[in-house]
Amino acid sequence: MTPAASAPAIAVTGLRKSFGDQVVLDGIDLEVAEGTIFALLGPNGAGKTTTVHILSTLSAPDGGGIRVGGHDPALHPDLVRAAIGVTGQFSAVDGLLTGEENLVLMADLHHLGRVGGRRRAAELLRRFDLAEAAGKTAATYSGGMRRRLDLAMTLVGDPRIIFLDEPTTGLDPRSRRTMWQIIRRLAAGGTTIFLTTQQLDEADELADRIAVLDHGTLVAEGTAAELKSRIPGGHIQLQFADADSLDAAARALAGATPDRDALSLQVPGDGSVRSLRALLDRLDRDGLDVQELSVHTPDLDDVFFALTGHPTTGTDRTTTESTGTTGTTEKEAVR
Ligand SMILES: Nc1ncnc2c1ncn2[C@@H]1O[C@H](COP(=O)(O)OP(=O)(O)OP(=O)(O)O)[C@@H](O)[C@H]1O
Ligand SMILES: [Mg+2]
């Protein structure tokens, strides 16, 4: 455990950055405790990569106070670089080199020496389940393998703080889970992790604290539970075959909100078995014929919508990755 009095791994106040007359970061404050996972959540173009670049010394801010690993990146970039590792949004892997060669190259950059470098490369290849593929060129790796190699390269220097810019974007659900496991293990070992994601379930799954970035400002910051508590509760959605059934159900169920176009009815409820049973009993008793029922528990997508008034789709790109489960929050469809 980290002593409560220890300085935060990352502390940022009033961070500002513009490109030309486009304000990208408009006064950001955040703090990441040592050994914790912090998720910066935002849609395309929100400023996530810009934040990572500034905190990792790759780009200069226009203003604000920054401490990373206790040092100011503007004054002591070398000390910051010695404490951190960065896995960028776009791979740093050299496709023409083998997995092992990529790692040894990183080890050389960290002056680990010939023997030390090879040992470190072998250890990381094993740890990231890449030992078998070690001698193959990285261009032949799958997306998940490439992403693991990328992260392994970040860990060569044994950083205390790592930045992961969208570590799972483009990965299939299984590779995504593998990456989550790796990230959790790193944090359990005491590494501080600052990750960015567009995916609400990912932040929910991994992060101790989450900050929601929207158009250059943080619109919320807290634990997943705290963020969820800021929005209205869950509901049960009932689907009907025709308007008459919908109207009859709407009359019978107090507090329910009908949507006549969709022939659906939203009934407030926490999705517990008890409330579901009560609802089903009521529908039975009144002879109401429901076509479909689904339970909707609030998630971070709802939080984003509640906080910003718009969904998580960015404004500067029209496509989103297809791996996410961000679009729908319906669960347990029962026919
Ligand atoms: N070097 C640059 N020059 C000019 N504009 C830039 C530069 N880097 C970023 N921007 C702009 O700043 C905004 C934020 O970009 P950034 O890459 O930080 O977003 P992001 O949250 O990482 O988005 P994504 O999810 O698409 O990766 C965008 O509008 C982008 O076009
Ligand atoms: Mg980005």
Side-chain angles (χ1 to χ4, degrees), residues 284-316:
D284 244 6
R285 213 167 47 235
D286 290 10
L288 295 165
D289 197 17
V290 178
Q291 252 194 347
E292 193 179 320
L293 177 153
S294 54
V295 178
H296 179 110
T297 47
D299 65 10
L300 288 170
D301 213 0
D302 301 300
V303 176
F304 204 93
F305 195 79
L307 292 169
T308 66
H310 56 79
T312 52
T313 42
T315 48
D316 64 348

mmCIF file of all heavy atoms in Angstrom, residues 284-316:
data_model
loop_
_atom_site.group_PDB
_atom_site.id
_atom_site.type_symbol
_atom_site.label_atom_id
_atom_site.label_comp_id
_atom_site.label_asym_id
_atom_site.label_seq_id
_atom_site.Cartn_x
_atom_site.Cartn_y
_atom_site.Cartn_z
ATOM 1 N N ASP A 284 -49.182 -9.946 -15.665
ATOM 2 C CA ASP A 284 -49.965 -11.181 -15.743
ATOM 3 C C ASP A 284 -51.399 -10.950 -15.271
ATOM 4 O O ASP A 284 -52.359 -11.335 -15.929
ATOM 5 C CB ASP A 284 -49.319 -12.221 -14.816
ATOM 6 C CG ASP A 284 -48.807 -13.397 -15.624
ATOM 7 O OD1 ASP A 284 -48.873 -13.307 -16.865
ATOM 8 O OD2 ASP A 284 -48.345 -14.381 -15.013
ATOM 9 N N ARG A 285 -51.462 -10.304 -14.092
ATOM 10 C CA ARG A 285 -52.750 -10.079 -13.455
ATOM 11 C C ARG A 285 -53.681 -9.269 -14.364
ATOM 12 O O ARG A 285 -54.862 -9.533 -14.474
ATOM 13 C CB ARG A 285 -52.525 -9.330 -12.141
ATOM 14 C CG ARG A 285 -53.530 -9.713 -11.081
ATOM 15 C CD ARG A 285 -53.153 -9.233 -9.691
ATOM 16 N NE ARG A 285 -52.735 -7.871 -9.598
ATOM 17 C CZ ARG A 285 -51.568 -7.469 -9.068
ATOM 18 N NH1 ARG A 285 -50.703 -8.357 -8.627
ATOM 19 N NH2 ARG A 285 -51.274 -6.189 -8.990
ATOM 20 N N ASP A 286 -53.088 -8.278 -15.034
ATOM 21 C CA ASP A 286 -53.902 -7.417 -15.896
ATOM 22 C C ASP A 286 -54.029 -7.965 -17.311
ATOM 23 O O ASP A 286 -54.593 -7.304 -18.186
ATOM 24 C CB ASP A 286 -53.300 -6.010 -15.953
ATOM 25 C CG ASP A 286 -53.450 -5.283 -14.623
ATOM 26 O OD1 ASP A 286 -53.840 -5.948 -13.647
ATOM 27 O OD2 ASP A 286 -53.181 -4.078 -14.568
ATOM 28 N N GLY A 287 -53.454 -9.157 -17.527
ATOM 29 C CA GLY A 287 -53.541 -9.768 -18.846
ATOM 30 C C GLY A 287 -52.871 -8.948 -19.932
ATOM 31 O O GLY A 287 -53.330 -8.908 -21.073
ATOM 32 N N LEU A 288 -51.782 -8.274 -19.563
ATOM 33 C CA LEU A 288 -51.085 -7.424 -20.540
ATOM 34 C C LEU A 288 -50.040 -8.254 -21.279
ATOM 35 O O LEU A 288 -49.213 -8.923 -20.655
ATOM 36 C CB LEU A 288 -50.409 -6.252 -19.817
ATOM 37 C CG LEU A 288 -51.389 -5.289 -19.149
ATOM 38 C CD1 LEU A 288 -50.664 -4.379 -18.169
ATOM 39 C CD2 LEU A 288 -52.119 -4.474 -20.204
ATOM 40 N N ASP A 289 -50.103 -8.185 -22.600
ATOM 41 C CA ASP A 289 -49.226 -9.024 -23.404
ATOM 42 C C ASP A 289 -47.974 -8.245 -23.825
ATOM 43 O O ASP A 289 -48.047 -7.320 -24.632
ATOM 44 C CB ASP A 289 -50.011 -9.489 -24.636
ATOM 45 C CG ASP A 289 -49.321 -10.669 -25.290
ATOM 46 O OD1 ASP A 289 -48.466 -11.282 -24.620
ATOM 47 O OD2 ASP A 289 -49.616 -10.942 -26.466
ATOM 48 N N VAL A 290 -46.845 -8.629 -23.244
ATOM 49 C CA VAL A 290 -45.582 -7.942 -23.541
ATOM 50 C C VAL A 290 -44.796 -8.780 -24.534
ATOM 51 O O VAL A 290 -44.635 -9.986 -24.356
ATOM 52 C CB VAL A 290 -44.749 -7.758 -22.247
ATOM 53 C CG1 VAL A 290 -43.420 -7.093 -22.553
ATOM 54 C CG2 VAL A 290 -45.528 -6.957 -21.230
ATOM 55 N N GLN A 291 -44.284 -8.109 -25.569
ATOM 56 C CA GLN A 291 -43.519 -8.840 -26.586
ATOM 57 C C GLN A 291 -42.101 -9.121 -26.130
ATOM 58 O O GLN A 291 -41.538 -10.162 -26.376
ATOM 59 C CB GLN A 291 -43.455 -7.992 -27.853
ATOM 60 C CG GLN A 291 -44.308 -8.554 -28.939
ATOM 61 C CD GLN A 291 -43.988 -7.915 -30.272
ATOM 62 O OE1 GLN A 291 -43.296 -6.901 -30.362
ATOM 63 N NE2 GLN A 291 -44.488 -8.518 -31.308
ATOM 64 N N GLU A 292 -41.500 -8.116 -25.489
ATOM 65 C CA GLU A 292 -40.097 -8.245 -25.097
ATOM 66 C C GLU A 292 -39.834 -7.399 -23.862
ATOM 67 O O GLU A 292 -40.455 -6.348 -23.688
ATOM 68 C CB GLU A 292 -39.218 -7.761 -26.259
ATOM 69 C CG GLU A 292 -37.763 -8.139 -26.105
ATOM 70 C CD GLU A 292 -36.931 -7.652 -27.286
ATOM 71 O OE1 GLU A 292 -37.424 -7.734 -28.430
ATOM 72 O OE2 GLU A 292 -35.816 -7.188 -27.056
ATOM 73 N N LEU A 293 -38.913 -7.884 -23.033
ATOM 74 C CA LEU A 293 -38.566 -7.133 -21.822
ATOM 75 C C LEU A 293 -37.053 -7.052 -21.718
ATOM 76 O O LEU A 293 -36.355 -8.045 -21.945
ATOM 77 C CB LEU A 293 -39.136 -7.877 -20.612
ATOM 78 C CG LEU A 293 -38.855 -7.356 -19.211
ATOM 79 C CD1 LEU A 293 -39.984 -7.776 -18.268
ATOM 80 C CD2 LEU A 293 -37.536 -7.847 -18.653
ATOM 81 N N SER A 294 -36.529 -5.880 -21.408
ATOM 82 C CA SER A 294 -35.080 -5.811 -21.168
ATOM 83 C C SER A 294 -34.799 -4.930 -19.960
ATOM 84 O O SER A 294 -35.543 -3.989 -19.668
ATOM 85 C CB SER A 294 -34.347 -5.303 -22.411
ATOM 86 O OG SER A 294 -34.903 -4.097 -22.827
ATOM 87 N N VAL A 295 -33.726 -5.288 -19.257
ATOM 88 C CA VAL A 295 -33.338 -4.554 -18.051
ATOM 89 C C VAL A 295 -32.178 -3.638 -18.411
ATOM 90 O O VAL A 295 -31.201 -4.070 -19.003
ATOM 91 C CB VAL A 295 -32.892 -5.527 -16.942
ATOM 92 C CG1 VAL A 295 -32.444 -4.745 -15.707
ATOM 93 C CG2 VAL A 295 -34.018 -6.478 -16.584
ATOM 94 N N HIS A 296 -32.307 -2.386 -18.078
ATOM 95 C CA HIS A 296 -31.280 -1.406 -18.400
ATOM 96 C C HIS A 296 -30.678 -0.885 -17.097
ATOM 97 O O HIS A 296 -31.346 -0.217 -16.319
ATOM 98 C CB HIS A 296 -31.923 -0.262 -19.194
ATOM 99 C CG HIS A 296 -30.994 0.833 -19.573
ATOM 100 N ND1 HIS A 296 -30.596 1.066 -20.865
ATOM 101 C CD2 HIS A 296 -30.380 1.764 -18.830
ATOM 102 C CE1 HIS A 296 -29.778 2.097 -20.894
ATOM 103 N NE2 HIS A 296 -29.637 2.541 -19.665
ATOM 104 N N THR A 297 -29.418 -1.250 -16.840
ATOM 105 C CA THR A 297 -28.765 -0.712 -15.646
ATOM 106 C C THR A 297 -27.906 0.471 -16.090
ATOM 107 O O THR A 297 -27.302 0.416 -17.152
ATOM 108 C CB THR A 297 -27.865 -1.772 -14.973
ATOM 109 O OG1 THR A 297 -27.081 -2.392 -15.984
ATOM 110 C CG2 THR A 297 -28.679 -2.817 -14.252
ATOM 111 N N PRO A 298 -27.845 1.548 -15.300
ATOM 112 C CA PRO A 298 -27.098 2.719 -15.757
ATOM 113 C C PRO A 298 -25.616 2.394 -15.892
ATOM 114 O O PRO A 298 -25.066 1.652 -15.083
ATOM 115 C CB PRO A 298 -27.327 3.746 -14.651
ATOM 116 C CG PRO A 298 -27.789 2.980 -13.479
ATOM 117 C CD PRO A 298 -28.414 1.728 -13.976
ATOM 118 N N ASP A 299 -24.982 2.882 -16.933
ATOM 119 C CA ASP A 299 -23.546 2.685 -17.069
ATOM 120 C C ASP A 299 -22.908 4.016 -17.461
ATOM 121 O O ASP A 299 -23.574 5.045 -17.510
ATOM 122 C CB ASP A 299 -23.232 1.568 -18.067
ATOM 123 C CG ASP A 299 -23.665 1.933 -19.467
ATOM 124 O OD1 ASP A 299 -24.030 3.099 -19.683
ATOM 125 O OD2 ASP A 299 -23.619 1.052 -20.329
ATOM 126 N N LEU A 300 -21.618 3.958 -17.758
ATOM 127 C CA LEU A 300 -20.916 5.213 -17.988
ATOM 128 C C LEU A 300 -21.386 5.938 -19.242
ATOM 129 O O LEU A 300 -21.227 7.139 -19.370
ATOM 130 C CB LEU A 300 -19.412 4.968 -18.021
ATOM 131 C CG LEU A 300 -18.843 4.656 -16.647
ATOM 132 C CD1 LEU A 300 -17.411 4.189 -16.744
ATOM 133 C CD2 LEU A 300 -18.921 5.867 -15.745
ATOM 134 N N ASP A 301 -21.972 5.189 -20.172
ATOM 135 C CA ASP A 301 -22.515 5.839 -21.356
ATOM 136 C C ASP A 301 -23.621 6.812 -20.945
ATOM 137 O O ASP A 301 -23.712 7.932 -21.453
ATOM 138 C CB ASP A 301 -23.083 4.775 -22.308
ATOM 139 C CG ASP A 301 -22.907 5.186 -23.757
ATOM 140 O OD1 ASP A 301 -22.356 6.285 -23.996
ATOM 141 O OD2 ASP A 301 -23.307 4.427 -24.638
ATOM 142 N N ASP A 302 -24.434 6.336 -20.003
ATOM 143 C CA ASP A 302 -25.495 7.207 -19.492
ATOM 144 C C ASP A 302 -24.890 8.409 -18.780
ATOM 145 O O ASP A 302 -25.410 9.513 -18.843
ATOM 146 C CB ASP A 302 -26.391 6.442 -18.510
ATOM 147 C CG ASP A 302 -27.024 5.233 -19.168
ATOM 148 O OD1 ASP A 302 -27.747 5.419 -20.149
ATOM 149 O OD2 ASP A 302 -26.770 4.109 -18.712
ATOM 150 N N VAL A 303 -23.774 8.154 -18.054
ATOM 151 C CA VAL A 303 -23.108 9.245 -17.338
ATOM 152 C C VAL A 303 -22.668 10.300 -18.343
ATOM 153 O O VAL A 303 -22.927 11.492 -18.168
ATOM 154 C CB VAL A 303 -21.855 8.732 -16.588
ATOM 155 C CG1 VAL A 303 -21.121 9.883 -15.922
ATOM 156 C CG2 VAL A 303 -22.238 7.690 -15.566
ATOM 157 N N PHE A 304 -22.043 9.850 -19.425
ATOM 158 C CA PHE A 304 -21.534 10.789 -20.422
ATOM 159 C C PHE A 304 -22.673 11.620 -20.988
ATOM 160 O O PHE A 304 -22.591 12.831 -21.107
ATOM 161 C CB PHE A 304 -20.816 10.030 -21.546
ATOM 162 C CG PHE A 304 -19.815 10.886 -22.245
ATOM 163 C CD1 PHE A 304 -18.503 10.894 -21.834
ATOM 164 C CD2 PHE A 304 -20.200 11.724 -23.273
ATOM 165 C CE1 PHE A 304 -17.577 11.719 -22.445
ATOM 166 C CE2 PHE A 304 -19.287 12.555 -23.894
ATOM 167 C CZ PHE A 304 -17.972 12.541 -23.487
ATOM 168 N N PHE A 305 -23.747 10.926 -21.280
ATOM 169 C CA PHE A 305 -24.896 11.618 -21.856
ATOM 170 C C PHE A 305 -25.474 12.611 -20.851
ATOM 171 O O PHE A 305 -25.780 13.753 -21.188
ATOM 172 C CB PHE A 305 -25.944 10.602 -22.293
ATOM 173 C CG PHE A 305 -26.962 11.205 -23.211
ATOM 174 C CD1 PHE A 305 -26.667 11.408 -24.550
ATOM 175 C CD2 PHE A 305 -28.192 11.596 -22.732
ATOM 176 C CE1 PHE A 305 -27.585 11.992 -25.396
ATOM 177 C CE2 PHE A 305 -29.129 12.180 -23.577
ATOM 178 C CZ PHE A 305 -28.820 12.374 -24.907
ATOM 179 N N ALA A 306 -25.582 12.164 -19.596
ATOM 180 C CA ALA A 306 -26.155 13.034 -18.568
ATOM 181 C C ALA A 306 -25.279 14.267 -18.340
ATOM 182 O O ALA A 306 -25.772 15.357 -18.090
ATOM 183 C CB ALA A 306 -26.320 12.253 -17.263
ATOM 184 N N LEU A 307 -23.942 14.081 -18.460
ATOM 185 C CA LEU A 307 -23.029 15.179 -18.160
ATOM 186 C C LEU A 307 -22.865 16.153 -19.315
ATOM 187 O O LEU A 307 -22.685 17.347 -19.113
ATOM 188 C CB LEU A 307 -21.643 14.627 -17.814
ATOM 189 C CG LEU A 307 -21.545 13.838 -16.515
ATOM 190 C CD1 LEU A 307 -20.212 13.137 -16.433
ATOM 191 C CD2 LEU A 307 -21.736 14.772 -15.336
ATOM 192 N N THR A 308 -22.897 15.618 -20.522
ATOM 193 C CA THR A 308 -22.550 16.470 -21.657
ATOM 194 C C THR A 308 -23.756 16.772 -22.542
ATOM 195 O O THR A 308 -23.686 17.662 -23.383
ATOM 196 C CB THR A 308 -21.488 15.803 -22.547
ATOM 197 O OG1 THR A 308 -22.065 14.641 -23.146
ATOM 198 C CG2 THR A 308 -20.262 15.409 -21.756
ATOM 199 N N GLY A 309 -24.809 16.002 -22.367
ATOM 200 C CA GLY A 309 -25.986 16.219 -23.193
ATOM 201 C C GLY A 309 -25.855 15.653 -24.580
ATOM 202 O O GLY A 309 -26.704 15.840 -25.429
ATOM 203 N N HIS A 310 -24.725 14.978 -24.833
ATOM 204 C CA HIS A 310 -24.600 14.317 -26.139
ATOM 205 C C HIS A 310 -23.899 12.982 -25.948
ATOM 206 O O HIS A 310 -23.217 12.778 -24.958
ATOM 207 C CB HIS A 310 -23.866 15.206 -27.148
ATOM 208 C CG HIS A 310 -22.517 15.645 -26.695
ATOM 209 N ND1 HIS A 310 -21.414 14.833 -26.758
ATOM 210 C CD2 HIS A 310 -22.086 16.811 -26.145
ATOM 211 C CE1 HIS A 310 -20.363 15.501 -26.280
ATOM 212 N NE2 HIS A 310 -20.749 16.674 -25.900
ATOM 213 N N PRO A 311 -24.054 12.069 -26.904
ATOM 214 C CA PRO A 311 -23.424 10.760 -26.746
ATOM 215 C C PRO A 311 -21.912 10.833 -26.920
ATOM 216 O O PRO A 311 -21.367 11.907 -27.178
ATOM 217 C CB PRO A 311 -24.075 9.904 -27.835
ATOM 218 C CG PRO A 311 -24.742 10.839 -28.767
ATOM 219 C CD PRO A 311 -24.851 12.170 -28.117
ATOM 220 N N THR A 312 -21.249 9.693 -26.798
ATOM 221 C CA THR A 312 -19.789 9.695 -26.779
ATOM 222 C C THR A 312 -19.152 9.764 -28.149
ATOM 223 O O THR A 312 -17.944 9.747 -28.252
ATOM 224 C CB THR A 312 -19.268 8.432 -26.084
ATOM 225 O OG1 THR A 312 -19.893 7.329 -26.706
ATOM 226 C CG2 THR A 312 -19.543 8.457 -24.628
ATOM 227 N N THR A 313 -19.928 9.816 -29.203
ATOM 228 C CA THR A 313 -19.313 9.885 -30.524
ATOM 229 C C THR A 313 -18.643 11.232 -30.707
ATOM 230 O O THR A 313 -19.198 12.259 -30.377
ATOM 231 C CB THR A 313 -20.359 9.704 -31.631
ATOM 232 O OG1 THR A 313 -21.500 10.440 -31.260
ATOM 233 C CG2 THR A 313 -20.702 8.257 -31.835
ATOM 234 N N GLY A 314 -17.422 11.191 -31.240
ATOM 235 C CA GLY A 314 -16.654 12.421 -31.418
ATOM 236 C C GLY A 314 -17.182 13.231 -32.586
ATOM 237 O O GLY A 314 -18.053 12.803 -33.331
ATOM 238 N N THR A 315 -16.619 14.405 -32.726
ATOM 239 C CA THR A 315 -17.103 15.287 -33.780
ATOM 240 C C THR A 315 -16.159 15.326 -34.971
ATOM 241 O O THR A 315 -16.526 15.785 -36.025
ATOM 242 C CB THR A 315 -17.243 16.718 -33.239
ATOM 243 O OG1 THR A 315 -16.037 17.031 -32.557
ATOM 244 C CG2 THR A 315 -18.425 16.830 -32.316
ATOM 245 N N ASP A 316 -14.918 14.835 -34.786
ATOM 246 C CA ASP A 316 -13.963 15.020 -35.874
ATOM 247 C C ASP A 316 -13.754 13.764 -36.709
ATOM 248 O O ASP A 316 -12.953 13.752 -37.602
ATOM 249 C CB ASP A 316 -12.618 15.523 -35.330
ATOM 250 C CG ASP A 316 -11.962 14.523 -34.417
ATOM 251 O OD1 ASP A 316 -12.646 13.552 -34.020
ATOM 252 O OD2 ASP A 316 -10.791 14.686 -34.099
#
